[in-house]
């Protein structure tokens, strides 16, 4: 029994290390999003950190329009980044979990 417990603890530690490595790697995965007319472009990491925002000069003339563009494009980019993040981390979590009866949360 203790051998099984030690084996599970080792697998959990290995899974935790893989999770941390995946989180670091997701800092290098870039998600690009832009408005339908291309006047506003944003780039986020898969960990949802903003890397860049490009604003066409024409949007600088209308503060309210620029704010609307930012909200729409940022929300779309965050949604995409979240999907990538959850898929990657979910795969690592499912792959690294030891087979513990009754704990099939990730399946």
């Amino acid at each position: 029994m203790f051998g099984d417990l030690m084996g599970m603890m080792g697998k959990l530690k290995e899974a935790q290390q893989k999770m941390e490595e995946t989180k670091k790697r997701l800092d290098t995965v870039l998600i690009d999003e832009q408005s339908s007319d291309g006047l506003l472009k944003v780039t986020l990491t898969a960990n949802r950190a903003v890397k860049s925002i490009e604003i066409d000069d024409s949007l600088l003339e209308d503060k309210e329009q620029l704010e609307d563009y930012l909200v729409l494009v940022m929300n779309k980019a965050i949604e995409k980044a979240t999907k990538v993040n959850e898929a990657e981390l979910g795969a690592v979590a499912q792959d690294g979990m030891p087979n513990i009866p009754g704990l099939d949360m990730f399946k």
Side-chain angles (χ1 to χ4, degrees):
M1 170 156 181
F2 287 114
D4 290 344
L5 183 59
M6 294 304 289
M8 283 190 283
M9 293 300 289
K11 280 193 167 209
L12 285 172
K13 186 171 182 140
E14 184 179 315
Q16 184 179 16
Q17 182 178 354
K18 284 182 181 178
M19 188 74 74
E20 290 304 315
E21 290 169 1
T22 301
K23 286 179 184 178
K24 286 180 185 175
R25 185 178 57 77
L26 289 175
D27 279 333
T28 66
V29 175
L30 299 180
I31 309 296
D32 296 314
E33 186 59 58
Q34 67 179 1
S35 60
S36 59
D37 56 11
L39 297 178
L40 180 75
K41 299 175 185 175
V42 299
T43 301
L44 305 179
T45 69
N47 282 326
R48 298 171 297 270
V50 177
K51 296 303 274 184
S52 70
I53 299 175
E54 295 178 34
I55 302 170
D56 187 89
D57 289 341
S58 64
L59 289 176
L60 299 177
E61 299 169 9
D62 186 345
K63 180 181 183 278
E64 190 173 309
Q65 182 183 17
L66 175 56
E67 290 169 346
D68 290 344
Y69 270 62
L70 281 168
V71 168
L72 290 172
V73 176
M74 290 299 295
N75 281 335
K76 283 171 52 178
I78 290 168
E79 183 179 332
K80 279 184 178 180
T82 298
K83 285 180 182 177
V84 171
N85 185 287
E86 289 175 350
E88 292 286 327
L89 293 178
V92 171
Q94 185 173 5
D95 183 50
M97 288 300 291
N99 188 14
I100 302 172
L103 287 182
D104 50 357
M105 300 177 288
F106 295 107
K107 295 182 180 178

